[in-house]
């Protein structure tokens, strides 16, 4: 079975880093957009982190969990338990930019694959000469 390019470990490490290190948030969000994450739950969490950060509130497990509930997110059922698991997977927040770069690279590959598929589709529909 084929899976699109992804690195769930890097996604978890990037999110976990942002939850434990205030400086990691700005550094990570300079590289990543929520859409860069492969797993939908990670997109939702990143969006919540960005919302909290843009309001200039501290980003941590409590504020992000509250934001997920405020947004009516489908992630509220896992809330703090999953956020705690993300924090527990982070070896160190010092490498957050590397984790973010890995996630971004995989996102770029998925976008290229999608674009290639569209081009192939268009080419097969083109009139024959």
């Amino acid at each position: 079975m084929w899976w699109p390019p992804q690195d769930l470990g890097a996604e978890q490490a990037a999110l976990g880093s942002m939850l434990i290190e205030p400086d990691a948030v700005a550094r990570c969000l300079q590289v990543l957009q929520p859409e860069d994450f492969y797993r939908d739950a990670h997109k939702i969490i990143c969006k919540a982190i960005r919302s909290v950060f843009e309001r200039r509130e501290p980003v941590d497990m409590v504020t992000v969990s509250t934001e997920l509930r405020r947004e009516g997110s489908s992630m509220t059922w896992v809330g703090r338990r999953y956020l705690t698991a993300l924090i527990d997977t982070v070896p160190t927040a010092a490498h957050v930019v590397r984790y973010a770069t890995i996630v971004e690279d995989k996102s770029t590959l998925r976008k290229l694959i999608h674009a290639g598929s569209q081009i192939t589709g268009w080419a097969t529909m083109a009139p024959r000469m």
Side-chain angles (χ1 to χ4, degrees):
M1 178 171 230
W2 181 83
W3 295 98
Q6 60 181 291
D7 189 326
L8 297 179
E11 290 188 12
Q12 292 171 331
L15 293 170
S17 294
M18 289 191 285
L19 291 169
I20 64 171
E21 176 60 47
D23 293 335
V25 180
R27 293 176 22 222
C28 190
L29 292 179
Q30 286 178 339
V31 178
L32 289 178
Q33 301 296 318
E35 301 78 33
D36 289 326
F37 288 86
Y38 177 75
R39 182 171 279 172
D40 288 337
H42 295 165
K43 291 177 187 181
I44 293 167
I45 293 168
C46 184
K47 184 178 176 214
I49 288 172
R50 169 172 276 164
S51 295
V52 171
F53 179 74
E54 287 176 348
R55 286 195 308 266
R56 299 192 190 312
E57 296 177 6
V59 174
D60 59 27
M61 186 175 63
V62 174
T63 59
V64 173
S65 178
T66 300
E67 180 66 16
L68 290 169
R69 280 193 306 278
R70 190 183 73 73
E71 292 177 352
S73 168
S74 59
M75 287 293 298
T76 56
W77 63 272
V78 288
R80 291 186 185 185
R81 189 174 355 160
Y82 190 68
L83 297 177
T84 300
L86 289 174
I87 290 168
D88 290 343
T89 65
V90 181
T92 177
H95 305 298
V96 68
V97 173
R98 181 64 189 129
Y99 307 144
T101 302
I102 293 168
V103 174
E104 180 189 38
D105 290 347
K106 301 300 182 182
S107 175
T108 299
L109 290 173
R110 290 192 306 273
K111 290 173 186 171
L112 288 170
I113 290 168
H114 178 73
S117 295
Q118 283 187 317
I119 291 167
T120 300
W122 293 331
T124 59
M125 295 173 59
R128 306 260 178 198
M129 297 179 147

